[in-house]
Amino acid sequence: TMRTRRGDAVGVIVSDLTNPYFSEVVRGLQHRLREHGRSLLLSDTDQRFDEGKRQFDLLLDKQVDGVVLFGDSVPESVLRAHVRRRSRVPLVTVGRDYGLDGVTTLLVNAEKAAYEAVRHLIDRGYRRIGHVTGPVAEMGAKTHGAGPRLAGYRRALTEAGLDAPEEYIVHGDWRAEGGATAAVDLLALGERPDAVFCANDLMAFGLMRVARVAGLSIPTDLAIVGFDDVPTASLIDPALTTVAMPKAALGRAAADLLRQKLDGSDGSGAGPLVLDASLVVRGSTPPRA
């Protein structure tokens, strides 16, 4: 490594390893990297952009072969500076398209998946549908993951001729605590929602807990849809209807894209690679009587 300034390690940065979604994606990534003969150096930013910058710089100092970034783990300004320097360390971004030359991007069609999730609620008879979205801002920059899901939510309601009052859209923090705080706001409304679409499963779990403490029955009084399909979603009672992200496939695809860049055969000029997600219907969204 000292002679060639190249090793066999790939740096990976995620925003929150306590979220099982990232654990499953990273596992798929690690398995594919192992097939490629490479190891993995994993960093967790704890949803802090300042920590993301620090971890990114540390990985570059360790002379990793390449870096895979998930979501909003590193400030955009840091990545733009990296590209301007014409660094030899290639980047693959997962979940966010920065529009940077030479950076390969892997996305999931979250807007379409969110639309289908809310459309499912509408088709089952729910009309007052709330939404727990992601944070408004993080270290002065808008978070990307929440945007497409909010757009899908609004499109489904608009096409059905239903209102999406601003008070029905509450911001969480991607964690169960954020879902619980959002639940307090939603359940305090004079006309509370009869269903809620959450931008990830962890916030849905927090919402469910607070709703039960408030004396509501799920799903009789409140139907809930999540996003990600983490393992716990199928184990709780009632099991959570949610959008199943292609987690292992995302990890494998990210490793393959990075390998292509390292081999000089990537198609980064062709635009982002987009995978589809699918709705998994379970007991938290029965047809409304």
Side-chain angles (χ1 to χ4, degrees):
T1 300
M2 291 176 66
R3 182 179 69 253
T4 63
R5 299 189 65 81
R6 294 291 296 276
D8 66 352
V10 170
V12 179
I13 305 180
V14 302
S15 59
D16 184 7
L17 265 182
T18 66
N19 187 332
Y21 164 78
F22 289 115
S23 302
E24 292 190 68
V25 177
V26 169
R27 186 179 184 188
L29 172 64
Q30 184 177 32
H31 287 177
R32 186 54 58 89
L33 287 175
R34 188 180 300 144
E35 295 173 9
H36 297 171
R38 286 189 164 89
S39 56
L40 177 151
L41 294 177
L42 181 61
S43 297
D44 178 5
T45 70
D46 196 27
Q47 297 190 7
R48 291 171 45 195
F49 267 5
D50 58 338
E51 184 64 15
K53 179 183 184 305
R54 191 181 77 85
Q55 294 292 343
F56 185 73
D57 291 340
L58 282 174
L59 289 173
L60 295 183
D61 288 344
K62 292 181 182 296
Q63 299 174 3
V64 293
D65 278 1
V67 179
V68 179
L69 307 170
F70 286 91
D72 295 295
S73 54
V74 175
E76 182 174 345
S77 59
V78 173
L79 303 185
R80 290 191 177 278
H82 177 79
V83 171
R84 285 197 300 269
R85 290 194 301 268
R86 297 185 178 181
S87 171
R88 295 180 180 179
V89 179
L91 302 181
V92 172
T93 62
V94 182
R96 177 167 181 174
D97 184 4
Y98 293 91
L100 298 174
D101 291 339
V103 175
T104 300
T105 299
L106 176 62
L107 301 174
V108 173
N109 195 337
E111 192 274 345
K112 176 185 175 185
Y115 169 85
E116 291 173 351
V118 177
R119 185 75 244 182
H120 164 74
L121 288 170
I122 295 169
D123 291 345
R124 294 217 158 181
Y126 299 96
R127 293 296 178 266
R128 301 190 311 276
I129 302 172
H131 180 41
V132 180
T133 183
V136 177
E138 189 171 279
M139 294 295 292
K142 292 182 179 178
T143 57
H144 179 77
R149 299 171 202 198
L150 177 59
Y153 161 81
R154 283 183 163 143
R155 179 163 70 94
L157 293 180
T158 298
E159 288 186 6
L162 298 175
D163 292 331
E166 284 304 313
E167 61 267 25
Y168 273 25
I169 301 171
V170 183
H171 294 275
D173 63 359
W174 300 121
R175 294 171 172 169
E177 293 79 4
T181 300
V184 172
D185 293 338
L186 287 173
L187 299 182
L189 295 174
E191 187 174 40
R192 62 170 176 78
D194 56 12
V196 179
F197 166 54
C198 296
N200 78 348
D201 289 346
L202 295 188
M203 293 192 294
F205 298 155
L207 175 73
M208 295 173 87
R209 184 177 72 239
V210 170
R212 285 198 173 101
V213 170
L216 299 181
S217 172
I218 299 171
T220 304
D221 298 322
L222 185 69
I224 299 175
V225 176
F227 202 106
D228 286 343
D229 195 25
V230 300
T232 308
S234 63
L235 302 177
I236 59 175
D237 185 22
L240 182 66
T241 293
T242 185
V243 172
M245 292 282 275
K247 296 178 283 296
L250 272 173
R252 292 191 298 268
D256 290 340
L257 289 172
L258 184 61
R259 183 180 189 179
Q260 291 171 18
K261 293 183 73 68
L262 291 168
D263 291 344
S265 60
D266 73 290
S268 56
L273 174 64
V274 181
L275 304 182
D276 283 326
S278 58
L279 184 68
V280 178
V281 179
R282 299 191 178 107
S284 67
T285 58
R288 194 174 183 194

